[in-house]
Amino acid sequence: MGADDEQARIAPVQDAGDLDRLAAVARYEILDAPPDGAFDRIAALAARWFHAPIATVTIVDKDRVWLTAAHGLEGVRQLGPEPALCASAVLPKAPYVVSDVLLDPRASDNPLVRAAMGVRFYAAAPIVTRDGHRLGTINVLDVEPREVTAAGLAALQDLAEIVMDQLEQRLSALRTVRAERQLRRQADEHRAEIEQFAGTLQRTLLPPALPEVPGLELACHYHTASARDVGGDFYDVFALPDGRWAFFLGDVCGHGAPAAALTSMTRYSLRAAALHDPDPIRVLSEVNGVLLQDPATENRFATVIYGIVEEDAGVPDGVLVTLGTGGHEPPLRLRAGKQGLDVGCTSAVEAGPRRVGMLVGAVPDAYFMTWRLTLRPGETLLLYTDGLTDTAVGGEQLGQDGVARLLSKGRGCAAADVVRDLVANIAGFDPPPRDDIALLALGVPGG
């Protein structure tokens, strides 16, 4: 590293002349904000991953470093812009590591080093916006010198990206609440505007497209019961660091901006917990704790089914699915039969009582259910929300058995065919569904 590069890394942030970066910091409205349980959770995850006593999420302003979360530094909300730690770590594009601050002239005079706690190790990953502005850092600190592995730095970078996702979702929720308040006052005059607003917000709570998953065919659909209200149904499919894939589908109580905020928090918490824990029950338990700890979600809860997909070594071209459910009906499995489609509950539910666990975010000691099944070539797993089963058809609720009857008359059990057939049936329901409906189908091609 040359002298000019070194000087750039230790210079105070206000000398960098990065007015665009400071404008981006202001845009996210996080400075001086009250504590946020989501960021606190990320800091706790970072500390646990590194087995370190201190982890922080910081935003670097012109003349201070704002601690959005401070695990192990309770009561500390901001620091000065002294170089070599947070204020300098925001400058590089890559993670920033000081293995022993006493041996590093960039950091040895920092107040965190000179203070009673005597910080000796520091690692940080920058929090970067989609347009390339570095807002701050997620940091891990220890009182002993240490080295950090490439896997550790990759995990820290992943957490920094999750912080950025949460900042985006938080900003979207803030703007949404403000916009909704204004639009509600003009509802009678501007119904079309409200419907457009609700549709836009709804789209932000769902993935824009499903990923390509090797060995699986995916299909999804979201039916909105009201064009004027944001629903609380959600789903997602995403890759895990170990090569497996995770998916979830759920339904939060209520509609409108409160439901949107709860949906956003639940989706983020599921993805964050899945990064560090392979067990669906523990993932649901962690999300349960997050919802209970946040005062914004008081008296609100969700039903969730969460699963992991991996290769099944015992079944050629088959996949092993591990499911956990919190108050959500188990999915339906479809396979080709002698007289059309065979539709039934997953095998574990067929063999025992239909227990689906408890609601997520309702009580502290909630229990959740789990089971495993193998999807063979030609089979599809269908997840759905209760807007489908609660729909009245012929004066009676459709129920899971009614959904199975509809599917048994379908054109095939490929994921796309299953969803397409259900969408056609939903369009013909009279009266139409009174609640939103989310569908997610995972199929194994072949068979």
Side-chain angles (χ1 to χ4, degrees):
M1 178 182 295
D4 291 343
D5 292 333
E6 179 65 17
Q7 182 61 32
R9 296 186 68 169
I10 66 175
V13 139
Q14 58 265 40
D15 292 340
D18 192 356
L19 298 180
D20 290 340
R21 190 196 72 80
L22 293 174
V25 168
R27 182 175 74 226
Y28 285 91
E29 302 181 38
I30 192 64
L31 294 173
D32 298 307
D36 188 308
F39 297 116
D40 291 339
R41 199 67 179 173
I42 296 172
L45 285 174
R48 184 161 59 219
W49 178 279
F50 282 85
H51 303 286
I54 303 169
T56 61
V57 176
T58 65
I59 302 297
V60 179
D61 197 7
K62 179 180 179 180
D63 54 4
R64 60 173 174 163
V65 175
W66 176 254
L67 275 64
T68 302
H71 180 85
L73 288 175
E74 283 69 22
V76 180
R77 296 311 312 274
Q78 67 180 33
L79 301 169
E82 291 83 5
L85 291 184
C86 300
S88 292
V90 77
L91 297 176
K93 295 181 179 180
Y96 179 94
V97 179
V98 182
S99 298
D100 188 343
V101 297
L102 295 184
L103 302 179
D104 194 321
R106 300 172 299 176
S108 57
D109 289 333
N110 189 278
L112 291 175
V113 179
R114 299 195 307 267
M117 71 178 65
V119 168
R120 294 287 300 277
F121 165 80
Y122 176 84
I127 301 165
V128 185
T129 67
R130 293 173 182 171
D131 51 354
H133 297 300
R134 296 184 289 282
L135 305 180
T137 55
I138 180 167
N139 317 281
V140 178
L141 302 88
D142 204 344
V143 296
E144 298 290 339
R146 57 193 290 185
E147 298 295 331
V148 61
T149 65
L153 290 179
L156 198 60
Q157 189 64 59
D158 286 341
L159 290 173
E161 292 174 6
I162 293 173
V163 171
M164 192 64 248
D165 288 344
Q166 182 61 25
L167 285 169
E168 293 283 1
Q169 293 173 11
R170 179 183 177 277
L171 180 58
S172 177
L174 287 173
R175 290 174 173 173
T176 294
V177 171
R178 292 167 187 161
E180 187 176 36
R181 288 172 181 167
Q182 180 181 358
L183 287 172
R184 289 291 183 183
R185 289 192 295 267
Q186 304 170 346
D188 293 337
E189 299 176 7
H190 304 291
R191 179 173 298 181
E193 292 181 21
I194 294 176
E195 291 179 357
Q196 182 180 10
F197 161 78
T200 300
L201 176 57
Q202 190 73 70
R203 287 190 292 273
T204 67
L205 300 175
L206 299 170
L210 294 178
E212 295 287 337
V213 180
L216 277 183
E217 293 178 344
L218 304 177
C220 62
H221 177 73
Y222 194 97
H223 172 85
T224 302
S226 170
R228 303 186 67 189
D229 263 330
V230 180
D233 294 10
F234 59 92
Y235 57 82
D236 206 351
V237 180
F238 55 98
L240 295 176
D242 58 6
R244 299 178 303 163
W245 288 82
F247 62 89
F248 56 74
L249 178 140
D251 183 7
V252 307
C253 65
H255 295 84
L262 181 58
T263 297
S264 176
M265 176 173 289
T266 305
R267 291 183 72 248
Y268 149 73
S269 300
L270 280 164
R271 292 186 68 120
L275 282 177
H276 70 89
D277 201 319
D279 182 76
I281 295 299
R282 291 197 295 268
V283 168
L284 292 176
S285 296
E286 186 161 322
V287 176
N288 187 67
V290 170
L291 298 188
L292 287 171
Q293 290 172 13
D294 196 303
T297 63
E298 186 177 4
N299 298 322
R300 292 186 173 273
F301 48 81
T303 68
V304 180
I305 186 163
Y306 167 77
I308 296 173
V309 177
E310 56 191 306
E311 292 183 5
D312 191 329
V315 178
D317 299 322
V319 297
L320 178 65
V321 182
T322 305
L323 293 164
T325 179
H328 204 94
E329 282 194 90
L332 292 169
R333 179 164 57 183
L334 296 85
R335 59 172 72 90
K338 295 181 179 179
Q339 299 179 347
L341 290 185
D342 236 354
V343 184
C345 294
T346 52
S347 58
V349 178
E350 293 170 339
R354 293 180 59 172
R355 299 174 63 198
V356 295
M358 299 176 68
L359 296 170
V360 180
V363 296
D365 298 324
Y367 67 84
F368 308 107
M369 305 302 295
T370 187
W371 65 91
R372 288 187 170 191
L373 59 97
T374 295
L375 277 183
R376 301 174 183 276
E379 295 184 343
T380 289
L381 197 66
L382 173 69
L383 288 72
Y384 53 90
T385 52
D386 61 6
L388 178 61
T389 50
D390 289 348
T391 296
V393 177
E396 296 183 359
Q397 282 190 345
L398 187 63
Q400 192 179 62
D401 292 338
V403 175
R405 286 193 298 272
L406 291 178
L407 290 171
S408 66
K409 303 173 184 177
R411 71 192 75 186
C413 57
D417 290 337
V418 170
V419 170
R420 192 179 300 117
D421 288 338
L422 271 180
V423 170
N425 278 283
I426 291 169
F429 286 160
D430 187 16
R434 294 184 298 175
D435 198 3
D436 304 306
I437 298 173
L439 306 174
L440 177 63
L442 305 90
V444 180

